[in-house]
Every structure is written in C-alpha cells, then in structure tokens.
Amino acid sequence: MYKAVRKETLAAAIATSVIAAGCASGPKPVADVRIPDAQNYDVRIQPARISPNAQGAFALSTATGCDVIFIARAAAVDTVTYAVRPTSRVPDATECVARLGQQPGIEAVTRTL
C-alpha cells in the first residue's frame, strides 16, 4: 500500500522546504522614517462646522491625512490651537498646513511660536 521513501528523497524535500521558508519570511524591515515634531497653529474655525475640541481635530486629521491634535482653545474668539505634523500619507509639513487651510470651516491658520 505505502511505498518506502528513500532517505535521500526525504532529505531533499526537507532541505527545499527549509530554503523556501527562509526566503518567504516576509518583507525586510524598513529603515526608521523620522517624522518631524508637531508644530502648533492657531486655527480660526467656524464652530458650526468644526467642533472646537478633540473630535474636531480627529475630523480634520481624517480629512487632511495629517496628524491634527487638539491642544486648547486660544484666547481669540473661535480660535483653537492644534498641533499639526506630517504622516506617512502626507510627509511634507507645508502640505499639511496647506491642506488644513483648505478645509471647509477653516477661516485662517497662523503658526504659534
């Protein structure tokens, strides 16, 4: 019923599967990409369109593709301070600020010192 398997054939099959497993171990690790630190911006918003809290920042993050983090309400009326930083989706900080300024409900974006 069963045929005897020769040792050489078995050894060759094992060696082939070991080599194949070593080659298919997954992608090579990518070098660490340095994401720049976040910059703070005072953003004048229309509160009816963008919530002046962390939920509004999350909505802006989703729309822009950048990290937008709620920091605090600024002293000026309808102005919120957000920390903005690029991501792997949008790696350029100036592009993040430009995208933020183009969103509906954003009236002005000013970098804070």
Side-chain angles (χ1 to χ4, degrees):
M1 186 171 208
Y2 294 105
K3 293 185 179 182
V5 178
R6 293 180 52 190
K7 289 183 182 180
E8 294 83 21
T9 307
L10 185 58
I14 291 173
T16 303
S17 57
V18 167
I19 290 171
C23 293
S25 62
K28 303 255 186 267
V30 178
D32 289 336
V33 177
R34 177 79 172 111
I35 301 280
D37 294 331
Q39 297 292 322
N40 290 349
Y41 292 90
D42 283 340
V43 181
R44 195 169 70 234
I45 61 170
Q46 297 172 354
R49 299 184 93 177
I50 299 172
S51 300
N53 54 28
Q55 290 174 337
F58 179 74
L60 290 170
S61 290
T62 303
T64 62
C66 304
D67 282 340
V68 179
I69 304 158
F70 174 77
I71 302 297
R73 286 183 173 219
V77 175
D78 294 335
T79 302
V80 179
T81 301
Y82 292 122
V84 179
R85 80 173 168 199
T87 60
S88 59
R89 232 173 99 191
V90 182
D92 184 23
T94 55
E95 178 69 21
C96 284
V97 175
R99 286 182 177 208
L100 182 63
Q102 294 170 354
Q103 296 306 308
I106 301 292
E107 296 178 354
V109 178
T110 308
R111 185 174 176 181
T112 59
L113 300 176

